[in-house]
Amino acid sequence: ETGVTQSPTHLIKTRGQQVTLRCSSQSGHNTVSWYQQALGQGPQFIFQYYREEENGRGNFPPRFSGLQFPNYSSELNVNALELDDSALYLCASSLANRGRFYGYTFGSGTRLTVV
Amino acid sequence: RKEVEQDPGPFNVPEGATVAFNCTYSNSASQSFFWYRQDCRKEPKLLMSVYSSGNEDGRFTAQLNRASQYISLLIRDSKLSDSATYLCVLVPYSGAGSYQLTFGKGTKLSVIP
């Protein structure tokens, strides 16, 4: 059973640029969420996708957007990068079925630095 | 008031000690509760779920008090390998089927030889 994989592991971008982060869900999982973890803080929920539809969003501006593909892999896109976007971005996948939630498995994250 | 508040830490304890972490939450509609563990510069990993009846997994015991909106984690006989940040996590109820994890800031534990 493969876990959640994210790419790239590290990334440096310039303020104003755009970035795309990628995530492959754990086999059998149909739900994916993205989290932003700033240094010294707990992860903050960005959004969640279930069967290719966004079905939950945290307090993040529209320049944070995402996609989920038919194979349940996912992308997080951030436009017009700001210095405060520097953080660890975590992807988490889960199986949700008939209203039951079985807990998330996290990927090892992408560490984004905006300069 | 923050949705999830944890002891600020850090906790520095000798090997073999018993250590307790506390967490309070503000959303009474929260439906699921967990403790996650996060090693330095790594992803969070599920340590255990938390149930109202209390649950135990080896040296770890978790308790939930819904009336007081309080969660705890007890670690007995601390090992060096227990050194990590412990995150209190809840899942608020959402009729849309969105299982958003809400994390506390975390409490750092260092177990000293």
Side-chain angles (χ1 to χ4, degrees):
Chain A
E1 180 182 271
T2 57
V4 178
T5 57
Q6 292 187 242
S7 63
T9 55
H10 296 82
L11 200 54
I12 299 175
K13 287 287 192 178
T14 304
R15 190 171 50 182
Q17 283 188 311
Q18 179 267 342
V19 68
T20 297
L21 309 182
R22 294 180 173 83
C23 172
S24 293
S25 301
Q26 181 167 318
S27 177
H29 285 184
N30 58 10
T31 301
V32 66
S33 294
W34 286 90
Y35 290 79
Q36 179 197 65
Q37 187 174 22
L39 199 62
Q41 303 294 319
Q44 298 293 311
F45 175 71
I46 303 175
F47 42 56
Q48 176 181 289
Y49 280 83
Y50 171 68
R51 293 186 175 179
E52 303 176 58
E53 296 286 332
E54 184 183 296
N55 74 336
R57 189 177 182 94
N59 189 25
F60 280 81
R63 60 189 185 84
F64 285 77
S65 63
L67 284 172
Q68 187 183 30
F69 299 101
N71 66 354
Y72 302 127
S73 65
S74 177
E75 286 183 355
L76 164 65
N77 299 289
V78 188
N79 293 322
L81 283 167
E82 300 176 0
L83 296 180
D84 285 349
D85 296 333
S86 296
L88 179 67
Y89 287 85
L90 295 160
C91 172
S93 73
S94 176
L95 174 64
N97 186 25
R98 298 179 183 275
R100 291 203 64 183
F101 170 65
Y102 297 92
Y104 280 111
T105 301
F106 280 86
S108 54
T110 294
R111 190 163 297 280
L112 172 65
T113 302
V114 182
V115 298
Chain B
R1 182 182 174 187
K2 290 190 175 180
E3 284 195 77
V4 182
E5 298 212 49
Q6 296 188 237
D7 293 328
F11 284 27
N12 299 311
V13 303
E15 271 187 289
T18 295
V19 60
F21 300 121
N22 301 312
C23 171
T24 56
Y25 62 95
S26 58
N27 185 348
S28 60
S30 299
Q31 61 174 339
S32 303
F33 305 86
F34 306 92
W35 283 101
Y36 274 72
R37 169 199 168 122
Q38 186 171 27
D39 293 295
C40 188
R41 304 183 75 81
K42 299 283 189 181
E43 74 274 21
K45 291 186 177 177
L46 178 64
L47 180 65
M48 58 197 303
S49 301
V50 189
Y51 305 113
S52 297
S53 54
N55 48 301
E56 189 173 305
D57 182 2
R59 299 181 293 109
F60 299 83
T61 300
Q63 292 277 352
L64 165 64
N65 185 322
R66 284 189 182 270
S68 302
Q69 295 180 201
Y70 170 88
I71 305 161
S72 66
L73 176 68
L74 185 75
I75 305 176
R76 292 180 299 279
D77 188 23
S78 300
K79 311 290 184 192
L80 295 177
S81 57
D82 294 334
S83 297
T85 295
Y86 289 82
L87 297 157
C88 177
V89 184
L90 59 85
V91 179
Y93 173 76
S94 169
S98 171
Y99 300 104
Q100 166 189 336
L101 299 182
T102 301
F103 287 82
K105 194 174 177 179
T107 303
K108 186 175 180 180
L109 170 68
S110 294
V111 181
I112 304 161

